């Protein structure tokens, strides 16, 4: 596979992963507002599980693997500050993914540990990380 085609795969996977990272907390905002055991509750549980397991996790894995291969093939160095900062941003996105996974499991168990306000605020974290990552990739500050 050529380097350019690998970049295409990487960008498509990142877009899919980011879509989920931005949408899942929004689903949780609405999920907080419905009664436990209601029809809406059951629907949100299905939507959250399918989004996480069917789209987000596979997209994250493809993003991480293809990104790692791109770094290796491109002979990039983590000594480059822009790349190190980007990788920290990616690591934090993985942490966000893990936290969202925990929330999906909690909702599936009918546990409501956080408010809709928490999920509204949490929804902004992937957005901020995405901005940092894109700036690092395009502008390559400190590089």
């Amino acid at each position: 596979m050529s380097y350019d085609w690998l970049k295409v795969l990487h960008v498509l996977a990142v877009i899919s992963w980011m879509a989920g990272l931005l949408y899942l907390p929004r689903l949780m905002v609405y999920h907080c507002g419905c009664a436990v055991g209601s029809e809406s509750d059951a629907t949100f549980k299905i939507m959250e599980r399918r989004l996480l397991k069917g789209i987000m996790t596979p997209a994250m894995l493809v993003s991480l693997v293809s990104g790692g291969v791109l770094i290796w093939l491109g002979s990039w160095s983590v000594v480059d500050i822009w790349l190190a900062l980007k990788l920290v941003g990616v690591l934090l996105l993985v942490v966000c993914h893990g936290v969202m996974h925990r929330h999906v499991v909690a909702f599936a168990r009918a546990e409501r540990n956080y408010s809709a306000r928490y999920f509204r605020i949490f929804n902004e974290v992937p957005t901020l990380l995405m901005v940092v990552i894109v700036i690092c990739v395009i502008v390559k500050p400190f590089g």
Side-chain angles (χ1 to χ4, degrees):
M1 181 182 294
S2 78
Y3 191 79
D4 288 338
W5 282 109
L6 188 58
K7 281 196 298 189
V8 168
L9 176 66
H10 180 69
V11 169
L12 291 173
V14 169
I15 289 168
S16 298
W17 185 28
M18 284 307 305
L21 287 170
L22 298 172
Y23 184 53
L24 186 55
R26 180 55 47 189
L27 283 176
M28 293 174 182
V29 167
Y30 300 128
H31 197 165
C32 285
C34 65
V36 173
S38 67
E39 187 176 326
S40 296
D41 180 49
T43 300
F44 279 117
K45 288 177 185 179
I46 291 167
M47 291 171 67
E48 291 161 357
R49 185 186 75 246
R50 287 182 179 169
L51 178 60
L52 182 71
K53 292 187 176 195
I55 297 171
M56 290 174 64
T57 299
M60 176 188 68
L61 294 173
V62 171
S63 296
L64 296 174
V65 170
S66 62
V69 173
L70 285 168
I71 290 170
W72 180 66
L73 289 176
S75 299
W76 297 104
S77 172
V78 292
V79 175
D80 294 327
I81 295 173
W82 71 268
L83 182 58
L85 185 58
K86 177 198 174 184
L87 293 176
V88 168
V90 171
L91 177 64
L92 292 172
L93 284 177
V94 171
V95 169
C96 286
H97 186 103
V99 170
M100 288 183 203
H101 182 269
R102 267 196 0 236
H103 292 317
V104 167
V105 169
F107 274 116
R109 293 180 180 157
E111 297 170 8
R112 304 289 175 96
N113 302 322
Y114 298 92
S115 68
R117 184 170 189 267
Y118 163 84
F119 290 111
R120 279 189 192 94
I121 293 168
F122 186 80
N123 191 210
E124 302 308 319
V125 175
T127 303
L128 295 173
L129 291 170
M130 176 183 62
V131 169
V132 169
I133 291 167
V134 169
I135 289 170
C136 287
V137 171
I138 303 297
V139 179
K140 292 183 179 51
F142 319 110

